[in-house]
Amino acid sequence: MAKLASRFRGSLIGALIGDCFGAQFEFLPMAITASKVVDFVTVLEKKKPEKRKESLYFTDDTEMREGVEESLLEKKGFDKKDMATRFAERYFVSPPKRSYGSHVPNVFMAWKRSDYENIDAPAMSQFNFTGSYGNGGGMRIAPAALFTHHQSPEKLKELSDKITKLTHTHILGIHGAYLQAMSVWLALKAEESQFSTKEFVDQLKEKMKFYEDEYSNREENKDKNLDSEESHCYLHKLDVIKSFLDRKDVSNEEVVKELGHGVSSQSSIPTAVYAFLRSVEDTKTIPNRNGFERTIIYAISLDGDTDTIATMAGAIAGAFWGEESIPKSWQECCQGLDTAEKTAKSLYQYVTEQS
Ligand code: F2R
Ligand code: MG
Ligand code: MG
Ligand code: MG
C-alpha cells in the first residue's frame, strides 16, 4: 500500500498530469480514442529527457489549484480575501494558453475593481444571478481533501463549499466540487488490497443523498418543483456509475450520453469518478499500463473537456495508487511539476503536525 506522503504527491502530480496531457486534446475537432492517447504518451515516453522537460503547459485547472494550495498553507485555513486575490492576480498575468472558462474572468475583474473588498457578490451575479455550475470548482478542489485528511467529511464539505463559492454559487457547482473532493478524500484512505469500487460508490452516494436531500427540503426550494434528476443529479449519476461497473461492455458513446464530457460540473465530475473506478477493474481495454496510466488514458479518450476530466480523475487515481505509480517520463513533461511536489510535501507536513 502506498504511503500517505506518496499519496499526497500522487494526488497533486496526478492532477497536474491530467491537465497537461488532457489540454493537448481539449475540445479538438476530431474523434479521440484510447489508442490515439496511447500513441501520444508513447511518443512522449520515447523522447530524450531534455526534450521532454516541461514540454507540456498547464491550464487554468492547475493555476487555480495552485492558488488554493498556496492560500491554505499560507493562511493555515480558508481566507477568502487571500484566496480570491491569488486567483485573480494569477489570471491577470497568465498566458493565453491557460484558457479559463468564458465567464469566470468577470468575477476576477469585479474583485479587483473593489480592491478585493467585495468578494461574495460577483460570483452570485453570474448567469443572471443563478451562479455558475461550470466545473471550475471541481477542477481545483483536490488540495482541500489533502488539507482535511485528518478531519471529518463534514469539515471537508465546509472547506470545499467555501473554496467553490468564491466563483461558483450554483448548487450543481457546489455539490459537484464536493463529490470530487470526497472522492479524493476517500481514495487517500483506501487500501488497494481490500478495495471495492461498489463500496466506494456507496460511500459517495450516502454523502450526496444527505446534501441533495437537505437542499431540496429547504423551505425556499420546496415550491420550485425540482424534478428528481435535477435535485438529486449526483445521486442519479452515481447509480449510473454503479450499473456501468457491473458491465464489461460500456462504450465511450454510452458514457458520454449518460455521464457527459462537458464543461458543466454535472456533465464532467461523475465522469471523472467513473474514469478512476473503471480503471481499477478493467485491466484489459488499455493493456500493459498500470491503474494510474489507464485512468489518464481512459479519461482523455472520452473526448470533450479532456484536461478537466483527466485532472479530476488523475487527482483521485494519484491519491489511491501513490506517486510511484506515475511514470517519471510523464511527470518530467509537465510544467509545474516542482511546485506540485513541493506543495504536496508542505501539505503532508502540515496535516501530520496538526494530527
Ligand atoms: N475554458 C476552457 N476551455 C476553452 C474551450 C471551451 C470550449 N471550446 C467551449 O466551447 O466551451 N476550459 C476551462 O473552463 C472550464 C472551467 O470553467 P469555469 O471555471 O467553471 O468557468 P465558467 O465560465 O464559470 O463556466 C464554464 C461554462 O459553463 C457554462 N455555465 C456555467 N454555469 C452556467 C449557468 N448557470 N447557465 C448556463 N451555462 C452555464 C457556460 O458555458 C460557461 O462558459 C474547464 O474546462 C477549464 O479547463
Ligand atoms: Mg472531438
Ligand atoms: Mg483547463
Ligand atoms: Mg477543461
Side-chain angles (χ1 to χ4, degrees):
M1 183 176 153
K3 294 215 167 74
L4 187 60
S6 159
R7 289 166 168 238
F8 271 51
R9 290 196 307 279
S11 187
L12 299 193
I13 296 171
L16 177 68
I17 285 176
D19 181 22
C20 291
F21 284 37
Q24 303 299 310
F25 298 87
E26 191 189 17
F27 294 107
L28 278 188
M30 56 179 250
I32 300 169
T33 58
S35 72
K36 279 191 186 148
V37 186
V38 170
D39 290 347
F40 164 78
V41 297
T42 308
V43 169
L44 287 178
E45 287 164 347
K46 286 187 178 154
K47 276 189 181 172
K48 292 200 174 99
E50 63 273 20
K51 290 259 182 223
R52 252 190 331 248
K53 198 163 169 31
E54 297 193 7
S55 56
L56 301 179
Y57 58 87
F58 61 74
T59 77
D60 58 332
D61 304 56
T62 299
E63 192 156 72
M64 295 198 79
R65 194 205 77 228
E66 288 182 354
V68 170
E69 297 154 4
E70 273 178 9
S71 184
L72 288 177
L73 282 166
E74 179 68 29
K75 295 292 171 184
K76 300 188 171 26
F78 180 74
D79 178 314
K80 72 177 167 186
K81 182 171 178 174
D82 183 80
M83 200 176 282
T85 307
R86 285 173 201 273
F87 284 167
E89 293 300 320
R90 280 167 163 268
Y91 167 77
F92 291 123
V93 296
S94 76
K97 272 183 184 169
R98 302 281 192 246
S99 48
Y100 277 76
S102 58
H103 288 63
V104 73
N106 299 335
V107 177
F108 303 149
M109 288 185 271
W111 286 340
K112 195 173 174 68
R113 279 196 300 275
S114 78
D115 203 15
Y116 301 101
E117 291 305 329
N118 182 7
I119 303 298
D120 297 333
M124 290 193 251
S125 67
Q126 293 284 76
F127 299 96
N128 214 5
F129 291 90
T130 59
S132 175
Y133 52 58
N135 53 19
M139 75 186 183
R140 65 181 187 234
I141 207 65
L146 275 52
F147 195 79
T148 57
H149 176 68
H150 288 311
Q151 299 175 32
S152 64
E154 290 70 34
K155 283 280 175 210
L156 172 61
K157 178 75 167 57
E158 255 175 58
L159 182 60
S160 170
D161 285 8
K162 286 176 181 164
I163 296 170
T164 304
K165 283 179 186 170
L166 285 173
T167 50
H168 291 67
T169 59
H170 195 291
I171 195 64
L172 292 173
I174 296 167
H175 282 167
Y178 178 64
L179 174 61
Q180 168 63 15
M182 193 60 200
S183 300
V184 175
W185 195 88
L186 287 172
L188 276 176
K189 293 183 190 292
E191 276 200 46
E192 196 183 344
S193 61
Q194 295 165 17
F195 188 68
S196 152
T197 54
K198 300 278 179 52
E199 279 171 26
F200 189 88
V201 180
D202 283 339
Q203 284 172 292
L204 293 173
K205 277 184 64 180
E206 187 197 320
K207 294 290 171 215
M208 296 321 294
K209 181 175 176 349
F210 179 83
Y211 291 112
E212 291 188 326
D213 279 350
E214 186 188 66
Y215 176 77
S216 52
N217 290 335
R218 262 186 233 159
E219 212 47 54
E220 73 267 23
N221 296 329
K222 277 194 173 148
D223 55 1
K224 281 188 188 159
N225 276 334
L226 300 170
D227 74 39
S228 74
E229 272 204 25
E230 193 188 353
S231 71
H232 288 79
C233 160
Y234 292 106
L235 193 58
H236 169 71
K237 296 230 169 177
L238 287 165
D239 275 330
V240 173
I241 292 175
K242 234 176 147 181
S243 72
F244 282 176
L245 291 171
D246 272 334
R247 292 170 40 202
K248 300 225 177 302
D249 60 344
V250 184
S251 68
N252 282 19
E253 290 71 26
E254 199 175 351
V255 175
V256 171
K257 181 166 174 277
E258 297 296 330
L259 299 179
H261 64 175
V263 292
S264 70
S265 297
Q266 60 275 30
S267 71
S268 59
I269 294 172
T271 315
V273 175
Y274 174 64
F276 158 65
L277 291 171
R278 175 180 166 125
S279 305
V280 173
E281 297 208 323
D282 177 11
T283 55
K284 295 209 171 67
T285 316
I286 301 168
N288 307 318
R289 294 283 175 180
N290 70 27
F292 178 85
E293 295 167 298
R294 287 196 298 274
T295 302
I296 295 290
I297 292 166
Y298 179 72
I300 297 174
S301 80
L302 291 170
D303 211 341
D305 194 0
T306 46
D307 64 333
T308 304
I309 295 173
T311 209
M312 296 189 291
I316 308 169
F320 183 70
W321 282 295
E323 192 250 334
E324 291 80 4
S325 69
I326 309 178
K328 287 283 178 244
S329 60
W330 289 29
Q331 300 191 29
E332 283 160 12
C333 293
C334 299
Q335 183 191 59
L337 176 64
D338 292 350
T339 308
E341 278 175 335
K342 219 171 96 207
T343 312
K345 277 187 195 145
S346 303
L347 279 168
Y348 176 73
Q349 206 176 343
Y350 177 79
V351 302
T352 318
E353 282 166 9
Q354 297 300 304
S355 66

